[in-house]
């Protein structure tokens, strides 16, 4: 039934646009519009024509993709309660219709659970996932000059769906398609025609259709988010995702992207950033208590069913069945021994205890004593203690404001 209604509305919309184009060309070609029998015949022929939907059919029809996406988003969110998002209706969240989307950004560092949380947010219908906008900076942390201004400018532009002048971003993406493929709703079209992903005009228009806009960034420290929070137009919410540095370092051990870059393999740099993030979180929470939330990865992984709805509520997103389904299929209580990149289980957060050499843990703890203390992670006393059942790494922590 719905399909038929949609089909007819597409036909009508298509017919109307043909009418408009014809009327428009009449007005420009001649000084006045004279309806003629021919034009009426053209219209009649055009209306019943099926719009090509096969993506392999020659050139992609941009207008057709945009219109199909509009209808899809509307359909997927027809039962969504917009009150929880602080608006009355879908159009209020769509840039194209003059609205402002619900924007969120996850700030973290490599191997801290951003992939999982990013996928959770992307399971919300109508979400446009900006993924990692700064991949082309390679493996560095941005803490200030010389990169901060350009990086923040780029993040801001993307969150506004303005891809103009982002040649570096597109150029890098041509050789690194994962920059786009995590944005599943965009990738649905690019996978057939890669050029669409490199097209600033198309991506800008496409992005402007989506009521939820999420992003994750592992290369910028929280301190710099002040600039984005100050931008009233963006109306952004920030999630700072923190993970035990012993777990982070264990997870980075087998990643060959890490080794050449001190920002990635030196625990003292990781932990200096964690201290900086702690200070920044305290300060920013004073000014923006309802725009910043801090989440420890361990608590997300141990209890995703309770943590996720709390995060979504903070962000102004009502939990949908698609999120529930995602959690069921990507979390497990039982020890299965298999875990993909974005599957979390109770085993993952504390795996370092059984995998890392005690001497290395001691080395990390020496470099990270303060960061561990601030973020509520308990120190291991000796090798037996590390693997003992009595040792539970999590403690409480408070953010001093
Ligand atoms: C929508 O959510 C608001 C609170 O966010 C609630 O008060 C209201 O009853 C909900 N409406 C429906 C139809 O569920
Ligand atoms: C979350 O809830 C689902 C469904 O109720 C359940 O299958 C799953 O095991 C739960 N996950 C965890 C980690 O408790
Ligand atoms: C290891 O540390 C635990 C907890 O502090 C302590 O009870 C135990 O005696 C220590 N073992 C050794 C061999 O030092």
């Amino acid at each position: 039934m719905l399909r038929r209604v949609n089909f007819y509305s597409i036909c009508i919309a298509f017919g109307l646009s043909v009418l408009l184009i014809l009327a428009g060309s009449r007005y420009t070609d001649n000084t006045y519009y004279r309806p003629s029998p021919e034009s009426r015949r053209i219209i009649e022929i055009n209306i019943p024509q099926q719009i090509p939907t096969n993506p392999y059919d020659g050139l992609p029809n941009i207008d057709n993709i945009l219109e199909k996406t509009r209808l899809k988003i509307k359909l997927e969110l027809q039962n969504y309660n917009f009150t929880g998002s602080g608006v009355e209706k879908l159009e209020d969240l769509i840039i194209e219709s003059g609205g402002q989307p619900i924007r969120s950004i996850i700030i973290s560092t490599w191997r801290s659970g951003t992939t999982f949380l990013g996928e959770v947010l992307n399971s919300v219908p109508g979400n446009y996932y900006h993924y990692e906008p700064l991949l082309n900076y390679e493996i560095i942390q941005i803490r200030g000059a010389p990169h901060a201004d350009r990086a923040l400018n780029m993040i801001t532009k993307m969150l506004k769906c303005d891809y103009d002048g982002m040649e570096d971003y597109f150029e890098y993406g041509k050789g690194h398609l994962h920059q786009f493929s995590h944005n599943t709703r965009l990738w649905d079209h690019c996978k057939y025609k890669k050029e669409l992903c490199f097209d600033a005009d198309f991506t800008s228009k496409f992005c402007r259709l989506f009521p939820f806009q999420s992003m994750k960034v592992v290369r910028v420290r929280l301190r710099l988010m002040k600039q984005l929070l100050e931008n009233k137009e963006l109306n952004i919410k920030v999630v700072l995702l923190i993970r035990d540095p012993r777990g982070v370092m264990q997870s980075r051990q087998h990643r060959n992207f890490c080794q050449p870059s001190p920002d990635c393999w030196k625990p003292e740099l990781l932990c200096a950033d964690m201290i900086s993030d702690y200070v920044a979180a305290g300060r920013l929470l004073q000014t923006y208590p309802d725009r910043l939330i801090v989440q420890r990865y361990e608590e997300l992984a141990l209890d995703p069913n309770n943590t996720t709805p709390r995060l979504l509520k903070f962000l102004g997103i009502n939990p949908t069945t698609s999120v529930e389904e995602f959690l069921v299929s990507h979390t497990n209580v039982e020890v299965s021994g298999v875990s993909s990149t974005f599957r979390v289980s109770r085993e993952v957060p504390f795996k370092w205890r059984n995998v890392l050499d005690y001497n290395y843990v001691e080395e990390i703890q020496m470099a990270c004593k303060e960061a561990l203390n601030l973020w509520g992670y308990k120190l291991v006393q000796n090798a037996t203690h590390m693997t003992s059942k009595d040792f539970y790494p999590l403690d409480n922590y408070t953010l001093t404001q």
Side-chain angles (χ1 to χ4, degrees):
M1 179 64 196
L2 263 169
R3 257 165 214 244
R4 218 157 67 208
V5 171
N6 275 341
F7 175 71
Y8 285 128
S9 48
I10 293 171
C11 289
I12 290 165
F14 187 70
L16 276 175
S17 44
V18 170
L19 250 172
L20 284 172
I21 290 164
L22 283 174
S25 60
R26 287 275 154 182
Y27 274 114
T28 42
D29 290 351
N30 314 317
T31 37
Y32 59 96
Y33 175 49
R34 234 176 327 110
S36 70
E38 298 101 80
S39 65
R40 219 175 300 130
R41 208 164 49 234
I42 291 167
I43 296 160
E44 277 159 13
I45 294 163
N46 269 308
I47 289 172
Q49 254 182 12
Q50 175 109 40
I51 300 163
T53 47
N54 181 347
Y56 294 101
D57 273 359
L59 283 175
N61 181 338
I62 303 284
D63 290 337
N64 183 13
I65 292 176
L66 295 177
E67 188 50 25
K68 271 169 53 185
T69 306
R70 275 183 206 106
L71 294 171
K72 187 163 187 271
I73 291 171
K74 211 168 198 160
L75 188 69
E76 285 179 350
L77 288 167
Q78 62 181 346
N79 294 321
Y80 183 83
N81 182 346
F82 287 94
T83 322
S85 298
V87 297
E88 280 174 18
K89 53 188 189 308
L90 176 61
E91 288 68 30
D92 299 337
L93 298 179
I94 294 178
I95 300 182
E96 187 193 55
S97 325
Q100 280 299 330
I102 301 276
R103 297 185 174 97
S104 63
I105 184 165
I106 303 167
I107 297 294
S108 195
T109 182
W110 304 280
R111 311 305 303 166
S112 298
T114 53
T115 306
F116 176 71
L117 186 55
E119 302 277 341
V120 170
L121 296 186
N122 198 39
S123 70
V124 173
N127 185 70
Y128 191 81
Y129 187 13
H130 293 273
Y131 193 59
E132 286 276 355
L134 307 175
L135 283 174
N136 59 344
Y137 284 77
E138 307 282 350
I139 308 300
I140 58 157
Q141 275 302 332
I142 299 173
R143 306 176 177 100
H147 297 302
D149 285 348
R150 235 179 118 246
L152 289 173
N153 183 36
M154 194 163 154
I155 291 174
T156 309
K157 277 176 68 94
M158 284 176 77
L159 288 167
K160 287 184 182 169
C161 297
D162 173 9
Y163 288 87
D164 208 32
M166 305 247 300
E167 284 76 16
D168 291 355
Y169 171 79
F170 290 116
E171 207 45 52
Y172 185 86
K174 284 178 190 171
H176 305 82
L177 289 173
H178 65 288
Q179 177 174 282
F180 308 109
S181 62
H182 291 265
N183 188 350
T184 46
R185 291 169 186 94
L186 174 67
W187 189 247
D188 273 350
H189 301 286
C190 302
K191 67 185 168 200
Y192 300 116
K193 187 102 187 128
K194 306 282 184 294
E195 288 76 8
L196 282 176
C197 266
F198 319 141
D199 180 339
D201 187 53
F202 170 71
T203 43
S204 298
K205 281 184 182 147
F206 188 73
C207 172
R208 281 182 199 137
L209 308 177
F210 289 84
F212 304 105
Q213 307 260 338
S214 69
M215 183 184 277
K216 76 147 176 148
V217 174
V218 297
R219 291 165 174 79
V220 174
R221 296 330 315 146
L222 182 68
R223 199 170 66 81
L224 299 172
M225 285 301 110
K226 185 164 181 274
Q227 188 181 318
L228 262 63
L229 286 163
E230 276 167 355
N231 187 335
K232 289 211 170 62
E233 202 190 329
L234 272 188
N235 205 21
I236 196 165
K237 300 228 178 175
V238 179
V239 181
L240 173 66
L241 189 61
I242 288 289
R243 184 178 182 183
D244 188 326
R246 295 165 295 193
V248 173
M249 292 316 292
Q250 182 258 312
S251 183
R252 286 180 186 176
Q253 262 192 332
H254 306 289
R255 304 283 151 168
N256 47 15
F257 73 79
C258 214
Q259 203 33 247
S261 162
D263 276 343
C264 198
W265 65 263
K266 282 196 161 177
E268 56 268 42
L269 292 179
L270 164 67
C271 288
D273 285 338
M274 288 181 71
I275 296 170
S276 153
D277 287 348
Y278 180 86
V279 175
R283 289 208 186 123
L284 290 173
L285 277 170
Q286 282 186 326
T287 326
Y288 305 101
D290 53 357
R291 311 228 134 257
L292 169 66
I293 194 168
V294 175
Q295 177 65 55
R296 287 194 298 188
Y297 165 72
E298 292 77 12
E299 284 158 324
L300 175 66
L302 292 175
D303 191 9
N305 287 347
N306 287 310
T307 317
T308 306
R310 194 172 58 85
L311 283 175
L312 291 179
K313 187 164 192 274
F314 178 84
L315 297 174
I317 303 168
N318 279 319
T320 56
T321 43
S322 59
V323 176
E324 280 165 32
E325 281 160 17
F326 180 88
L327 288 180
V328 169
S329 59
H330 291 85
T331 66
N332 46 16
V333 196
E334 302 307 316
V335 182
S336 64
V338 205
S339 55
S340 75
T341 41
F342 52 88
R343 188 175 282 274
V344 290
S345 74
R346 296 180 159 271
E347 292 304 293
V348 176
F350 304 133
K351 189 176 165 201
W352 60 269
R353 294 170 54 190
N354 301 310
V355 172
L356 287 187
D357 181 61
Y358 174 68
N359 291 325
Y360 185 45
V361 171
E362 210 176 11
E363 191 189 317
I364 300 172
Q365 291 190 159
M366 296 251 275
C368 293
K369 203 167 177 181
E370 192 183 349
L372 286 163
N373 184 38
L374 290 173
W375 285 112
Y377 296 111
K378 287 186 210 153
L379 293 178
V380 158
Q381 302 301 331
N382 51 52
T384 339
H385 187 215
M386 180 165 91
T387 50
S388 136
K389 283 199 175 64
D390 300 331
F391 173 63
Y392 185 68
L394 295 187
D395 206 345
N396 293 331
Y397 74 98
T398 42
L399 285 164
T400 43
Q401 295 182 18

